Amino acid sequence: MTNEKVLSPKFGDYGGQFVPETLVPALKELEAAYLHYRDDVEFQKEFSELMQNYVGRPTPLTYAARLTEDCGGAKIYLKREDLAHSGAHKINNALGQALLAKRMGKKRVIAETGAGQHGVASATVCALLGLDCVVYMGTVDMARQAPNVQRMKLLGAEVRGVESGSKTLKDAVNEAIRDWVTNVEDTYYLLGSALGPHPYPTMVRDFQKVIGQEAKEQILAAEGQLPDTVIACVGGGSNAIGIFHEFVDDEKVELIGVEAGGTGIESGQHAARFAAPDVGRPGVLHGCYTFVLQDEDGQIALTHSISAGLDYAAIGPEHSHLRELERAHYTYATDDEALEAFQTLSRLEGILPALESSHAIAEATKRAAEMPKDSILVVNLSGRGDKDLDTVLQVLGLEN
Amino acid sequence: MTKIADAFGKEKNALMPYFTIGYPDYQTSINVIQACVDAGADLMELGMPFSDPLADGPTIQHSTQVALENGITVKDCLKAVAELRENGVKIPLILMGYINPVLAYGMEKFVTDAAQAGASGFIIPDMPPSEAKEMTEFCEKSGLDIIFLLPPNSSDERMRVVTELSRGFVYLVSVLGITGERDALPVALSAFVAKVRKLTQKPLAVGFGISTPEQAAAVGEVADGVIVGSALIKAVGQADDPVGAAREFVQNLKEALS
């Protein structure tokens, strides 16, 4: 690769490359390949054709008339990533990276997954492109997201259950990194969120920024003006950074990230990195310096959320940076608020949202009520809720 | 107290066992480390537990998890070093741990307190040289060594960077992968060591996957030092007499290396 350009490895103080030296050459190779193909006409052509004809982009921006009426304030629009192929925004990044893996000559792809959406997206694109796919998933997550485990298997991926640590997403990432260190020469690590070591946070954001680009164009067409507020849920933060990025320079557009408040911040059972200063502090997890939930000795805290996709101890480094700049603001929704939003959206709009996205809906309904009727609010509906039916029906006592 | 580099000076085949502080409990780990020293270890690598040890295989993962369940903190690890020094241990004691607990403790305070306790240096596997500028400065100020890992897939440029910035010795990773026993040593090991040798005068110690006296002897043929971790932990973990098992394990390795 003759490309001499380099990307900045940091967002302010956050980000970096805290990895074993064995991965340094692999990350360098990845950065070079990404920089090369980012500007490669053929690559971009193939990517955008598949985004259109396979993923189904652009996804619609739906005006939620009944939800708006119910809240009695701002007009609420939903960016419909739930309608992307395989049911969530995760496919955007998975497709981009899998195309890159293929160009780099890697035949084997590994991925981690929490809720299973990234695992399904990875299995999907690997089937499409003829790549071997191994997905690491904590056994606790496998139990609560069983339909996605079956989907991955049907798509030809091997799902490896992770028994170490808390048996959730964080441990799946550990195992994926251990696999990568061992098989680095022929394996591509398809990381699913805007976190991890450089260049992943930048690259994943770039593959997801299409969400905000489309949303901006669509809202301008519908309303002739920019939204007042954009809201997204934040686990690692890829759907949020994907919709935020295009609006960062539009300073009048308020950007709101919603973390998982679990059973409440006081309970300690949550995944809200920014909401609890005693446990959410800058630190290093999985290769980057960012806000991490940890105990006073620096051991990574166990997290809780009703949504497996938000159940993670670290937030993508660019979010830490945007928060420090006060360009984006972060709040949280509890399990109960998310469940209520799940039901509200289902009944008023005929859309079953993913429990992750339900956190964003919960915040949107709160805010919309406080905003004037001529104001506009865009919510990233990052995924669909079919995968969550077991959880929701169980909690609501509606099973059978 | 022996300087790290000097521990390699007097004999070519230095032995550096790794053991996790707090496994299977704090006092036993101190006794095991003491037994390793008594049995002829030339340096000791002392593991500080972390909840997410991504460079470690199942054996060391398990030991650090047990240590955490025992409530072992960074402070306890520093206390262990001080205790070993009080007991008269003179060989280099190198603390191995992941970066986040160090950041939580406060990097500068950690280095100062470790120096105070009698530590000789640090190995932090998730802090490659590019992220280690501050840590290196603190170490220089306190007279401690920071040791970097060098894997066989490194480019010539990375090999130059790592060998130049590593202090005390260079930690050669025998294989691509994580810690843990392997059936056989990689065939290309001697070529790798020879290549690094051309870049630096610093001692070269090899670790990852070395478990038997035969393997240690083979590595000792080409390198200046041999690092053994998982196999020791396994031997200790399975034994009714952990201290005796550690002593015998280290004695066997020493014999193979002499």
Side-chain angles (χ1 to χ4, degrees):
Chain A
M1 206 98 4
T2 54
N3 205 318
E4 291 297 319
K5 285 181 295 186
V6 284
L7 289 164
S8 167
K10 294 208 166 153
F11 305 92
D13 288 339
Y14 303 102
Q17 229 171 43
F18 292 89
V19 292
E21 181 71 29
T22 308
L23 294 181
V24 170
L27 292 168
K28 214 175 164 106
E29 180 193 3
L30 177 61
E31 183 182 11
Y34 174 61
L35 280 167
H36 177 80
Y37 289 111
R38 191 183 63 170
D39 302 329
D40 181 78
V41 178
E42 281 301 306
F43 179 87
Q44 288 303 333
K45 191 167 158 241
E46 187 177 3
F47 182 51
S48 60
E49 274 176 13
L50 284 168
M51 286 288 255
Q52 186 184 331
N53 300 322
Y54 185 74
V55 176
R57 304 206 74 89
T59 59
L61 184 72
T62 305
Y63 175 53
R66 298 191 67 214
L67 184 66
T68 298
E69 195 188 2
D70 189 63
C71 296
K75 295 171 103 170
I76 302 172
Y77 282 86
L78 307 172
K79 180 57 177 162
R80 301 293 304 280
E81 292 302 297
D82 61 316
L83 294 178
H85 178 48
S86 77
H89 73 291
K90 292 290 185 192
I91 190 88
N92 304 327
N93 166 57
L95 178 62
Q97 286 199 54
L99 284 172
L100 191 59
K102 197 156 183 174
R103 292 282 203 291
M104 290 170 75
K106 309 279 182 185
K107 304 237 177 300
R108 179 175 180 267
V109 167
I110 56 171
E112 83 296 334
T113 198
Q117 288 304 111
H118 174 60
V120 167
S122 300
T124 300
V125 296
C126 286
L128 175 73
L129 300 176
L131 298 164
D132 290 339
C133 184
V134 173
V135 180
Y136 288 94
M137 188 171 190
T139 49
V140 166
D141 288 339
M142 285 175 77
R144 61 177 166 177
Q145 304 285 338
N148 272 345
V149 176
Q150 301 306 334
R151 287 167 81 194
M152 287 184 267
K153 287 181 180 166
L154 288 171
L155 291 162
E158 180 194 341
V159 182
R160 290 192 188 164
V162 176
E163 285 284 354
S164 61
S166 58
K167 307 178 177 60
T168 60
L169 178 57
K170 140 180 118 67
D171 312 284
V173 178
N174 288 338
E175 251 353 273
I177 292 176
R178 290 181 186 122
D179 181 317
W180 200 28
V181 173
T182 308
N183 302 297
V184 64
E185 316 237 278
D186 70 345
T187 295
Y188 183 94
Y189 181 20
L190 208 173
L191 187 61
S193 194
L195 41 82
H198 172 72
Y200 283 104
T202 302
M203 180 172 71
V204 174
R205 177 202 67 205
D206 288 352
F207 285 133
Q208 293 291 5
K209 70 184 178 190
V210 63
I211 304 172
Q213 289 169 339
E214 288 175 8
K216 189 186 229 176
E217 207 170 291
Q218 289 164 325
I219 198 72
L220 286 173
E223 293 281 349
Q225 64 181 87
L226 291 173
D228 296 276
T229 304
V230 174
I231 299 181
C233 65
V234 191
S238 70
N239 90 82
I241 207 71
I243 196 162
F244 287 177
H245 188 66
E246 185 67 17
F247 294 102
V248 166
D249 292 335
D250 301 314
E251 283 173 25
K252 286 195 176 141
V253 179
E254 189 182 28
L255 305 174
I256 306 290
V258 187
E259 298 185 281
T263 56
I265 303 304
E266 313 73 38
S267 74
Q269 302 291 307
H270 61 84
R273 288 69 42 115
F274 289 146
D278 53 329
V279 282
R281 303 190 308 273
V284 170
L285 179 63
H286 298 142
C288 72
Y289 181 71
T290 186
F291 273 73
V292 180
L293 287 171
Q294 52 186 305
D295 71 10
E296 60 180 20
D297 204 44
Q299 307 300 338
I300 306 306
L302 296 184
T303 52
H304 163 81
S305 171
I306 193 165
S307 67
L310 303 184
D311 200 352
Y312 183 67
I315 190 164
E318 195 168 3
H319 288 291
S320 292
H321 181 53
L322 289 174
R323 177 175 178 262
E324 198 158 281
L325 296 175
E326 297 185 13
R327 178 61 195 96
H329 300 276
Y330 296 83
T331 181
Y332 62 88
T334 62
D335 288 353
D336 289 347
E337 290 168 329
L339 272 168
E340 198 184 318
F342 178 97
Q343 295 170 84
T344 305
L345 196 72
S346 302
R347 289 179 187 163
L348 292 181
E349 299 291 342
I351 297 168
L352 297 182
L355 280 174
E356 289 76 13
S357 324
S358 300
H359 287 70
I361 302 288
E363 178 63 19
T365 55
K366 271 190 246 174
R367 272 179 191 261
E370 308 289 317
M371 293 166 73
K373 290 202 172 188
D374 58 352
S375 55
I376 302 164
L377 201 157
V378 172
V379 189
N380 196 14
L381 191 63
S382 54
R384 69 178 184 224
D386 309 52
K387 69 183 174 63
D388 296 314
L389 291 190
D390 284 353
T391 308
V392 172
L393 294 178
Q394 199 181 349
V395 178
L396 297 179
L398 294 177
E399 51 207 322
N400 298 322
Chain B
M1 255 161 49
T2 314
K3 285 261 174 210
I4 291 178
D6 296 340
F8 293 89
K10 56 185 191 303
E11 51 185 311
K12 269 303 217 182
N13 299 325
L15 175 65
M16 178 162 98
Y18 164 99
F19 201 76
T20 304
I21 298 169
Y23 176 77
D25 57 69
Y26 179 81
Q27 194 51 52
T28 308
S29 68
I30 296 285
N31 297 344
V32 163
I33 293 160
Q34 182 71 52
C36 292
V37 175
D38 295 342
D42 299 285
L43 312 88
M44 277 304 297
E45 184 182 355
L46 308 181
M48 303 193 293
F50 179 50
S51 53
D52 296 81
L54 51 78
D56 285 306
T59 306
I60 293 181
Q61 277 178 50
H62 172 72
S63 72
T64 54
Q65 189 139 4
V66 169
L68 286 177
E69 282 160 16
N70 290 332
I72 298 297
T73 63
V74 171
K75 221 172 176 172
D76 294 324
C77 295
L78 298 179
K79 192 180 99 186
V81 172
E83 216 172 305
L84 289 161
R85 289 302 183 208
E86 277 163 31
N87 295 348
V89 171
K90 296 273 187 283
I91 63 166
L93 298 176
I94 300 167
L95 286 167
M96 179 277 182
Y98 291 81
I99 186 64
N100 199 55
V102 172
L103 292 175
Y105 190 91
M107 191 184 275
E108 185 165 19
K109 185 170 156 45
F110 172 73
V111 175
T112 323
D113 290 359
Q116 183 75 29
S120 315
F122 308 106
I123 296 171
I124 302 179
D126 59 345
M127 192 179 64
S130 52
E131 301 290 358
K133 208 166 160 264
E134 241 187 323
M135 183 82 183
T136 303
E137 283 169 18
F138 293 140
C139 286
E140 270 167 16
K141 228 191 289 176
S142 293
L144 299 191
D145 290 329
I146 181 148
I147 296 122
F148 292 113
L149 283 78
L150 185 63
N153 63 334
S154 301
S155 64
D156 292 358
E157 183 203 332
R158 288 304 294 182
M159 285 196 183
R160 268 192 296 276
V161 170
V162 172
T163 51
E164 193 189 316
L165 295 178
S166 193
R167 297 280 176 269
F169 69 95
V170 184
Y171 189 139
L172 303 194
V173 178
S174 69
V175 287
L176 299 179
I178 53 180
T179 60
E181 300 161 59
R182 311 268 195 298
D183 291 338
L185 288 169
V187 268
L189 184 64
S190 57
F192 175 40
V193 176
K195 191 172 178 189
V196 182
R197 185 82 74 194
K198 284 189 196 142
L199 295 172
T200 184
Q201 304 285 315
K202 290 170 190 164
L204 306 180
V206 177
F208 283 43
I210 303 163
S211 57
T212 64
E214 294 72 34
Q215 289 172 334
V219 173
E221 291 288 311
V222 289
D224 308 313
V226 179
I227 305 163
V228 181
S230 298
L232 170 61
I233 286 171
K234 206 176 234 179
V236 168
Q238 288 166 347
D240 295 329
D241 171 17
V243 172
R247 189 181 301 116
E248 192 187 327
F249 185 88
V250 170
Q251 274 167 352
N252 287 341
L253 287 176
K254 270 306 274 189
E255 253 169 56
L257 282 170
S258 59

